[in-house]
């Protein structure tokens, strides 16, 4: 039986449009910055500068993205690539910040087991849990509420019905 030659096929792309190779990640930087108040001063400048990023450009983009968030602290996860480009993802404010805002206190208790500094209701806990759900590892709302309650307890904030 004679051998039939295989048709010429581009083996690397298999006759599909080739995608560019994904960029290689150099590092990931996590910062907590007040919304709309990023500036090149520490801690932002040194954290980005050591990886060769354009600090002023990041500050402008971050401030534009967080414009409507008021004064809340916004965690940001910056992915730095080998070619000195970057992307960033905004997260929800830390649970402790949301609890302090709900309880109307400036800071948590230094002695959380004996000294209570404020109170929040179950409804407020549920509202915080719903807001934080995308960043928590909890599988449902009830588990997220328990996580928020635990954070409140450690801050010296009482959860009431």
């Amino acid at each position: 039986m004679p051998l039939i030659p295989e048709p010429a096929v581009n083996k690397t792309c298999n006759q599909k449009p080739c995608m560019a190779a994904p960029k290689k990640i150099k590092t990931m930087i996590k910062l907590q910055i007040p919304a709309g108040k990023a500036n090149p001063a520490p801690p932002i400048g040194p954290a980005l500068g050591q990886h060769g990023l354009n600090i002023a450009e990041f500050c402008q983009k971050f401030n534009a993205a967080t414009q409507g968030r008021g004064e809340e602290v916004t965690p940001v996860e910056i992915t730095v690539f080998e070619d000195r480009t970057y992307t960033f993802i905004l997260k929800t404010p830390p649970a402790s910040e949301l609890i302090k805002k709900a309880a109307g206190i400036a800071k948590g208790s230094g002695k959380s087991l004996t000294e209570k500094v404020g109170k929040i209701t179950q409804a407020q806990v549920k509202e915080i849990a719903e807001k934080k759900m995308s960043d928590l590892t909890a599988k449902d709302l009830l588990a997220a509420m328990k996580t928020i309650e635990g954070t409140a307890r450690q801050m010296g904030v009482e959860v009431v019905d």
Side-chain angles (χ1 to χ4, degrees), residues 6-156:
E6 286 186 40
V9 175
N10 183 350
K11 299 265 184 197
T12 57
C13 293
N14 209 10
Q15 292 185 336
K16 294 179 185 171
C18 289
M19 298 292 288
K23 292 181 182 181
K24 194 164 186 151
I25 296 174
K26 181 178 178 184
T27 189
M28 293 196 52
I29 306 167
K30 293 181 180 181
L31 298 171
Q32 290 188 6
I33 309 167
K37 292 192 176 180
N39 59 22
I44 301 165
L48 300 180
Q50 70 184 0
H51 299 291
L53 299 183
N54 184 339
I55 302 163
E57 178 191 0
F58 169 78
C59 290
Q60 287 175 344
K61 286 182 179 180
F62 177 84
N63 290 339
T66 58
Q67 201 169 10
R69 292 190 178 202
E71 295 281 318
E72 62 188 24
V73 174
T74 305
V76 62
E77 200 172 86
I78 307 162
T79 306
V80 181
F81 300 104
E82 295 265 325
D83 62 354
R84 292 188 180 173
T85 57
Y86 64 91
T87 60
F88 65 90
I89 300 168
L90 299 175
K91 304 282 188 173
T92 57
S96 58
E97 292 291 322
L98 297 172
I99 291 168
K100 286 192 299 187
K101 191 175 178 182
I105 57 175
K107 65 179 202 166
S109 172
K111 301 173 186 169
S112 61
L113 297 176
T114 57
E115 217 174 277
K116 301 300 178 192
V117 292
K119 293 180 181 182
I120 59 174
T121 64
Q122 282 291 336
Q124 288 173 312
V125 169
K126 184 176 181 180
E127 185 182 314
I128 293 169
E130 287 169 347
K131 189 171 187 178
K132 289 287 298 172
M133 196 64 188
S134 61
D135 290 342
L136 293 174
T137 56
K139 61 181 177 183
D140 59 8
L141 187 61
L142 192 61
M145 286 175 64
K146 287 186 183 248
T147 302
I148 301 300
E149 286 173 15
T151 303
R153 261 194 311 278
Q154 288 302 310
M155 293 174 63

